[in-house]
Amino acid sequence: MFGNFDFEVIIRSIPYLFMTGMVFTVKLTIFASFFGVILGTLLALMRLSGLWPLPQLAAGYVNLVRSLPLLLVIFWFFFLIPFVAQSIVGSERPITIDPFISALITFTLFEAAYFSEIMRAGIQSLSKGQVSAGYATGLNYRQVMRYVVLPQAFRNMLPILLTQTIVLFQDTSLVYVLSLNDFLGIAGKIGQRDGRLTEMYLFAAVTYFVISFLASTAVRRLNSRIAIIR
Amino acid sequence: MTNTMTMTSSGATSIPAGHVIDIKGVSKWYTPEFQVLKNCTTKVDKGEVVVVCGPSGSGKSTLIKCVNALEPFQDGEIAVTGISLKDKSTNLPRLRSKVGMVFQHFELFPHLSITDNLCLAQQKVLDRSRSEAVAKANKLLVRVGLESQAAKFPGQLSGGQQQRVAIARALAMDPIAMLFDEPTSALDPEMVSEVLDVMVELAHEGMTMMVVTHEMGFARKVADRVIFMDRGEIVEDAPKEDFFGKPRTERAQQFLSKILAH
């Protein structure tokens, strides 16, 4: 069976696969995680604020996003937003949005829901005494959050945030439905063009596995180091 | 201009003589059925050391947390230097910054070095420069005997050392009064005295203090008054000599005999 394998096609396409495809995938992962953590932290703070209606809004958002298939949201966002933007701006034609930006916004909004639950757990894991101590020294709410609570919550939750980021790294391959040139998308296109789908998908699987596995191992190491510091 | 000067920089000197802490008829409920504080009234004068004792669950920690507005209360009134906590216009963070608080479990910030623990609020609340704050921090660390630990993190210190840092952190704000919430209860026995020594020294220097503690030795040594609480009530509020000599109530007598027996 492997006699029919053409590894040549893989070698030939490596520069395009990595310089374009993997760069897209990694960029999308990093930016979406970065903005997702920021938005997720804001959602977590809203959820814990106790100021009506902020907790209800945040909880509603998180529950809504978690009840929708990611694929559907990607699809919906990419094809609907141009029309929404059109009606807002009032232009004659649907506004074209850069596919990378569209994917980035989708993943950010989607991941924020998951990150917010992680950050909420991180904030709640701190003793109430830490918050009291912050207030007792005269800090206000914003300062207590910024200098006392969030740095600790973030540090405690860093391994879980990174694990979620690894999941996101794999999930970004779903942008194939938009025919974007991410790593998997390029592998598929080359495979189809050259009639070598098996080789390309196998190679893509190995690449995703190696990167995710190495990253997970690194996170485990980090986790044990954080555990020692604590 | 002169007003703001006295507000921000001069600490103890701008406080009018008289009560630093005024507690009037304070009641607090956790649920409509469960009342933790029942009509508590007392005061702490400038330079006075008041020890609050009582069996666990008697509401003494809750009362001291109310003084710093860390716990809300439904009824009554607390004023610190004449400023009511309940008044909507009161700037609570500013008021809290003038009252130091030491907690049972130290509550140092574990992600910050000892120096940064002492500097954070100085810089963010009092707007002191970094060098000013560090200088103050170093001075206070010398005072509690921990100048060599400045660069370490709280997790690297013993409980007694952490609590001394916590006291220094509170003092860094130049407080007009200090609240202690069972400062030695979480400590190993051999570390209790190093913390009490710092507190005794503070008391001798004339610091206004409200101390929740079971350390009756400390109370005998430096307290001016002792408050005895039971089931949310202030049962006894008397000068030290009267309290230890002849407690009026049976509950206080029982408590004293139990705590002094061992």
Side-chain angles (χ1 to χ4, degrees), chain B residues 97-166:
Chain B
S97 74
K98 295 197 243 169
V99 180
M101 178 130 192
V102 176
F103 297 85
Q104 182 176 2
H105 297 286
F106 329 135
E107 303 300 350
L108 296 178
F109 306 130
H111 59 302
L112 299 178
S113 71
I114 299 306
T115 299
D116 287 340
N117 262 281
L118 268 65
C119 288
L120 178 64
Q122 287 193 69
Q123 290 177 258
K124 302 301 173 194
V125 179
L126 301 182
D127 289 321
R128 287 184 185 152
S129 72
R130 175 73 188 170
S131 56
E132 233 180 319
V134 170
K136 179 94 188 173
N138 287 338
K139 225 169 78 186
L140 286 164
L141 285 177
V142 170
R143 176 164 170 188
V144 298
L146 292 170
E147 63 274 25
S148 60
Q149 315 289 326
K152 288 192 179 164
F153 284 81
Q156 299 170 289
L157 268 53
S158 72
Q161 290 173 322
Q162 287 193 50
Q163 195 60 299
R164 279 143 70 200
V165 171

Side-chain angles (χ1 to χ4, degrees), chain B residues 1 3 9 20 36 40 58 68 80 110 131 137 169 179 195 198 201 246 250:
Chain B
M1 183 65 208
N3 261 334
S9 61
V20 176
V36 265
C40 296
S58 58
N68 220 359
V80 175
S131 56
R169 175 175 71 180
L179 307 174
V195 171
V198 173
E201 203 183 299
K246 42 176 182 13
E250 200 180 325

Side-chain angles (χ1 to χ4, degrees), chain A residues 126-141 143 146-152 155 229-230, chain B residues 65 68 70-71 93-94 96-97 99-101 103 106-112 120-121 124-125 155 169-170 173:
Chain A
L126 296 184
S127 75
K128 193 167 170 274
Q130 282 288 301
V131 180
S132 294
Y135 282 131
T137 51
L139 300 174
N140 58 33
Y141 171 82
Q143 291 168 324
R146 180 169 165 197
Y147 300 112
V148 178
V149 173
L150 289 180
Q152 292 187 63
R155 194 191 64 175
I229 296 170
R230 238 185 289 152
Chain B
K65 281 179 183 144
N68 220 359
L70 292 175
E71 290 269 1
R94 178 144 291 281
R96 286 191 187 113
S97 74
V99 180
M101 178 130 192
F103 297 85
F106 329 135
E107 303 300 350
L108 296 178
F109 306 130
H111 59 302
L112 299 178
L120 178 64
K124 302 301 173 194
V125 179
R169 175 175 71 180
M173 303 298 284

